[in-house]
């Protein structure tokens, strides 16, 4: 299987967990988009769901394919969210935000009774951090916030470049109107400590460490699809 085929396999396995009539959080990214395409086929055959998208990009795809949508204010409690991840470890701790939707993704995940992660085998890691950690920051006080992140990382023995994400000829801006700093720490041995310290920085809106949120990860590889449950 090539990379896209693996994503489709993971998405199809996740779709089996979606029940008729569910209030469904719908994630962002290439694997989540494969899930939306498969979901749309079932909706066209009469399957009923109400979806809450985690990004404007996902919302546009859902509208295009006919998946019914509501806002999170209209559906503040969700049965299930299905989303991708940039990295997944054995405890189902995640790095998310490569697509820039981490804030909305985390809000939707927190509003869900259950979260299922779908990914191809390349996203499974022993220790998080090879993928740069996205940190969503307020535009006001950007330099001060970046310095605070650098100092916080140093206290935890982490180092690496802190790069302001670019898009086209300017800075990437999230759906919420913020910037993203991609922190290339290389290895994050204590995600809990880093999460806590980043949350204490006023200019940090949110970060891409998702702790104790995913109940199940569906991982697709050349040998097939497997399910991983959290070992906490």
């Amino acid at each position: 299987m090539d990379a896209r085929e693996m994503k489709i396999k993971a998405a199809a396995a996740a779709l089996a967990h979606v029940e008729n009539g569910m209030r469904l959080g719908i994630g962002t990214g290439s694997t989540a988009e494969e899930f939306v395409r498969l979901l749309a086929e079932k909706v066209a055959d009469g399957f009923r769901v109400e979806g809450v998208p985690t990004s404007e990009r996902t919302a546009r795809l859902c509208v295009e394919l006919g998946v019914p949508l509501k806002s999170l204010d209209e559906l503040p409690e969700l049965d299930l969210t299905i989303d991708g991840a940039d990295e997944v470890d054995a405890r189902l701790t995640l790095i998310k935000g490569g697509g820039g939707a981490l804030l909305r993704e985390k809000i939707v995940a927190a509003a869900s009774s259950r979260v299922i992660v779908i990914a191809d085998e390349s996203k499974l890691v022993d220790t998080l951090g090879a993928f740069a950690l996205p940190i969503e920051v307020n535009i006001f006080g950007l330099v001060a916030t970046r310095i605070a992140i650098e100092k916080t990382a140093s206290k935890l023995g982490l180092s690496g470049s802190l790069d302001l994400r670019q898009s086209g000829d300017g800075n990437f801006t999230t759906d919420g109107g913020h910037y993203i700093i991609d922190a290339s720490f290389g290895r994050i041995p204590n995600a809990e400590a880093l999460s806590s310290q980043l949350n204490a920085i006023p200019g940090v809106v949110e970060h891409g460490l998702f702790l104790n949120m995913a109940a199940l990860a569906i991982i697709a590889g050349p040998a097939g699809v497997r399910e991983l449950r959290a070992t906490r």
Side-chain angles (χ1 to χ4, degrees), residues 9 19 28 59 66 91 94 129 167 173 183 195 200 211 217:
K9 290 288 188 184
E19 298 175 8
T28 295
R91 298 171 60 204
L94 317 172
S167 177
T173 304
S195 173
L211 311 178

Side-chain angles (χ1 to χ4, degrees), residues 24-218:
L24 186 66
I26 305 175
T28 295
S30 58
T31 309
E33 287 176 2
E34 300 298 349
F35 171 78
V36 172
R37 292 185 179 96
L38 295 176
L39 177 64
E41 292 176 5
K42 289 196 70 171
V43 168
D45 289 335
F47 192 74
R48 294 181 300 104
V49 293
E50 292 181 306
V52 173
T54 57
S55 67
E56 297 302 321
R57 172 178 162 180
T58 295
R60 287 192 294 270
L61 182 62
C62 288
V63 169
E64 177 187 334
L65 298 178
V67 176
L69 296 182
K70 298 282 188 179
S71 70
L72 191 58
D73 287 335
E74 292 172 303
L75 293 179
E77 295 180 315
L78 303 175
D79 300 304
L80 174 66
T81 285
I82 294 178
D83 203 350
D86 298 301
E87 285 189 340
V88 186
D89 70 10
R91 298 171 60 204
L92 302 197
T93 302
L94 317 172
I95 286 182
K96 290 178 52 56
L102 61 150
L103 175 60
R104 292 191 184 185
E105 287 174 333
K106 193 171 281 189
I107 292 172
V108 169
S112 304
S113 296
R114 193 165 182 244
V115 175
I116 294 177
V117 175
I118 51 176
D120 65 82
E121 206 169 66
S122 68
K123 307 298 175 62
L124 191 61
V125 298
D126 292 327
T127 304
L128 298 177
F131 190 92
L133 175 66
I135 304 172
E136 189 161 342
V137 296
N138 201 297
I139 294 174
F140 176 81
L142 176 63
V143 174
T145 299
R146 182 173 174 167
I147 291 171
I149 293 170
E150 189 172 22
K151 288 180 177 178
T152 290
S154 180
K155 289 177 184 176
L156 295 173
L158 302 173
S159 62
S161 63
L162 301 177
D163 301 313
L164 191 62
R165 187 178 297 185
Q166 301 297 299
S167 177
D169 296 328
N171 297 325
F172 176 87
T173 304
T174 69
D175 288 340
H178 308 120
Y179 287 164
I180 288 181
I181 291 174
D182 289 311
S184 299
F185 293 134
R187 188 172 183 274
I188 303 171
N190 191 337
E192 290 80 4
L194 179 58
S195 173
S196 177
Q197 292 296 313
L198 290 175
N199 286 336
I201 299 172
V204 170
V205 178
E206 193 48 84
H207 56 75
L209 290 170
F210 282 54
L211 311 178
N212 303 317
M213 299 189 99
L216 178 70
I218 297 175

